[in-house]
Amino acid sequence: MTERTSIHGQWSSRLVFILAATGSAVGLGNIWKFPYITGEHGGGAFVLVYLLCIAVVGIPIMMAEVMLGRRGRQSPINTMTSLAKEEGAGSAWSLVGWSAVLAGFIILSYYSVIAGWALAYVFRVAGGIFNGADAAGVQTVFTDLTGDPERLIAWHTLFMLMSMTVVARGVRAGLEKAVIYLMPALFVLLFVMLGYAMSTGAFIEGLKFLFEPDFGKLFYACETVAGVENCELSGGPVLVAMGHAFFTLSLGMGAIMVYGSYMPKGISIARSAVLIALLDTLVALVAGMAIFPIVFANGLEPGSGPGLIFQTLPIAFGAMPGGQIFGTLFFVLLVFAAWTSAISLIEPAVAWLVENRGLSRVRAAGVIGMTTWVLGLGSIFSFNIWSGDEYKLFGMTFFDLLDYLAANIMLPLGGLLIALFAGWLMKRESSMDEFAMQARRYDLWRVLIRYISPLAVVVVFLNAIGIF
Ligand code: TRP
């Protein structure tokens, strides 16, 4: 095979690839979503399943995505089409690329809405409205914001513009540099938050919640209908944990594949994937350890949903010395974390438009950004004018539904197909050549990607729909 090159350019080094991929992985998923879904599904046991999924499903699939991307060197759609042809497989595999583009749209549409909340909070914290505020006061600020569609639209628009600007300029010009400083800064601030959480007196309670598995809670799904909580036996929470492993590592929709297509040759894919997964998991766990003690110390409800961090962290910022500054910084960095993730959600689609439709990056980013923006309105309304039961399907708002569909169904399905392609359809020599790693490690990956990861995904799916 002749070596391909990407028309979109290449990362300048291994470090830049790691930072970009970590930038994609670390985002709202770690700091906003992980704590709130862990809270909704009872803590420890859920966390354990999530960690297991990262290890046996996430890491092997991440390696597969990077490998496929680097071999194909194009947008996920074209990469899958070319590789399928090369390996003598059917052209239907390009569907993996299409589902990737669709999932990216859907996720970014609501991702941008939540990132908009984080933007709004930068100004609220900086303005000092949380100084000395109690849980009720913080709650009011949150409901005032989410109850007002106009404000939400303004912040959503701003965040979409920010994301489109970076993608339009090409990944190398803008973000490469910013990420080098911002990711470490986010780490430091998370540890500051952790320090505060340790001082709350509920630190141990928080740790227990996160790390003491109670499997009883894991197999039940509860729903509150008209103020009454109904719980029933369900495989749903396990599916949510697995879906989140995909979401948090940016897997199953070509984001990591497209980043892999810009990766220079001669860099170890396995080592990079393990490092990215470790960093991502560390951020999520530290975020959880910072948030739950504050939840318990203030008598808040861990299962309160998507507003969790916005209703808890401001209490800490309002109470701690220097909280106004730390808090502002924290939300600035949260916005940056979301920003570096958002660009990876549109890059697959933009790369495809440039390759196949001859659009400039600027136009491609414009088209995709506008479409995504429109879809985002549905999620905005889910928190106000469409929050009533008459607008719900399966007990979920439009926002919940999109998140459920994309994260828990489309990503694992995309990941399953990627695993089958990389493990079964691709010739051994092809993947071995691309990985260029020790034979023993290669064999371990091959067992995982051929048997363990696909089986895990299928079992969790069947379990969730109640087959066993
Ligand atoms: N991983 C990011 C987060 O945790 C979100 C994200 C970025 C993503 N790119 C993705 C999720 C691709 C799924 C697929 O916030």
Side-chain angles (χ1 to χ4, degrees):
M1 191 191 91
T2 50
E3 187 65 27
R4 290 194 186 89
T5 48
S6 166
I7 62 164
H8 310 281
Q10 227 180 58
W11 305 113
S12 31
S13 65
R14 169 177 141 97
L15 178 68
V16 171
F17 169 75
I18 302 265
L19 286 171
T22 309
S24 165
V26 174
L28 296 174
N30 306 62
I31 298 165
W32 159 75
K33 194 173 176 193
F34 171 72
Y36 101 74
I37 57 176
T38 298
E40 283 180 336
H41 296 105
F46 180 87
V47 175
L48 199 66
V49 176
Y50 152 81
L51 291 175
L52 204 67
C53 289
I54 295 275
V56 303
V57 183
I59 294 178
I61 292 184
M62 181 180 284
M63 288 173 60
E65 272 203 37
V66 177
M67 184 267 292
L68 295 174
R70 194 167 73 178
R71 209 166 175 77
R73 293 261 187 236
Q74 299 153 74
S75 66
I77 296 178
N78 292 328
T79 286
M80 289 309 293
T81 314
S82 326
L83 293 183
K85 200 182 280 167
E86 225 165 81
E87 302 291 330
S91 58
W93 286 99
S94 61
L95 279 178
V96 175
W98 286 104
S99 122
V101 167
L102 187 66
F105 263 130
I106 296 180
I107 297 176
L108 184 60
S109 76
Y110 64 82
Y111 204 82
S112 165
V113 173
I114 311 293
W117 296 0
L119 269 174
Y121 268 58
V122 170
F123 297 93
R124 283 169 178 60
V125 180
I129 48 172
F130 296 118
N131 294 351
D134 58 3
V138 169
Q139 169 78 29
T140 312
V141 174
F142 180 71
T143 40
D144 279 352
L145 173 68
T146 52
D148 182 346
E150 281 171 23
R151 275 195 239 174
L152 293 184
I153 289 173
W155 294 116
H156 166 55
T157 309
L158 181 58
F159 186 79
M160 277 310 303
L161 284 174
M162 289 164 55
S163 305
M164 282 154 62
T165 308
V166 174
V167 177
R169 298 189 54 187
V171 182
R172 214 163 166 175
L175 235 77
E176 254 197 42
K177 293 181 192 72
V179 170
I180 300 183
Y181 300 100
L182 295 168
M183 299 312 289
L186 180 69
F187 251 68
V188 171
L189 267 176
L190 271 174
F191 279 99
V192 171
M193 296 300 304
L194 185 62
Y196 174 82
M198 285 177 176
S199 75
T200 57
F203 189 61
I204 300 298
E205 200 183 336
L207 285 189
K208 276 194 176 157
F209 181 78
L210 263 180
F211 297 114
E212 222 173 58
D214 173 354
F215 288 97
K217 290 187 184 145
L218 190 62
F219 297 105
Y220 284 89
C222 299
E223 201 191 347
T224 312
V225 181
V228 185
E229 198 177 49
N230 292 311
C231 295
E232 55 179 63
L233 200 60
S234 155
V238 177
L239 177 60
V240 175
M242 184 181 73
H244 188 64
F246 281 93
F247 186 92
T248 192
L249 294 178
S250 303
L251 297 178
M253 58 74 53
I256 292 295
M257 196 186 289
V258 85
Y259 276 18
S261 74
Y262 310 146
M263 187 192 204
K265 195 85 181 158
I267 292 174
S268 163
I269 292 177
R271 270 193 229 143
S272 309
V274 171
L275 182 60
I276 295 161
L278 283 178
L279 288 172
D280 184 79
T281 308
L282 185 65
V283 173
L285 293 179
V286 174
M289 288 191 280
I291 286 159
F292 286 109
I294 303 174
V295 170
F296 295 119
N298 291 283
L300 299 167
E301 179 52 54
S304 65
L308 186 67
I309 65 161
F310 296 94
Q311 294 159 341
T312 51
L313 294 182
I315 302 176
F317 295 130
M320 69 201 226
Q324 204 167 332
I325 295 171
F326 284 135
T328 310
L329 265 176
F330 177 85
F331 282 106
V332 167
L333 292 171
L334 184 59
V335 168
F336 273 100
W339 199 6
T340 55
S341 298
I343 56 169
S344 75
L345 284 161
I346 19 179
E347 182 63 21
V350 168
W352 181 79
L353 282 178
V354 173
E355 286 165 11
N356 289 42
R357 292 279 175 269
L359 261 60
S360 64
R361 283 193 76 91
V362 177
R363 289 216 166 172
V367 171
I368 309 250
M370 279 191 287
T371 326
T372 318
W373 182 85
V374 173
L375 189 59
L377 298 179
S379 294
I380 287 184
F381 299 149
S382 300
F383 294 99
N384 36 71
I385 53 182
W386 290 353
S387 63
D389 282 340
E390 67 276 26
Y391 292 103
K392 288 186 183 168
L393 203 61
F394 310 118
M396 289 190 267
T397 61
F398 184 76
F399 157 80
D400 292 328
L401 211 60
L402 283 193
D403 183 38
Y404 196 89
L405 179 74
N408 302 336
I409 298 174
M410 296 181 77
L411 298 181
L413 217 54
L416 174 64
L417 292 174
I418 288 169
L420 295 178
F421 184 86
W424 292 92
L425 275 137
M426 203 165 182
K427 286 185 272 311
R428 191 182 167 90
E429 304 82 68
S430 309
S431 53
M432 210 152 155
D433 167 55
E434 200 59 49
F435 279 127
M437 61 178 167
Q438 288 172 10
R440 290 244 307 281
R441 292 196 187 154
Y442 175 82
D443 288 335
L444 174 63
W445 172 78
R446 200 155 158 95
V447 169
L448 288 167
I449 205 78
R450 280 166 79 96
Y451 304 101
I452 315 289
S453 326
L455 209 66
V457 174
V458 171
V459 168
V460 173
F461 264 134
L462 293 181
N463 180 35
I465 55 176
I467 296 197
F468 70 108

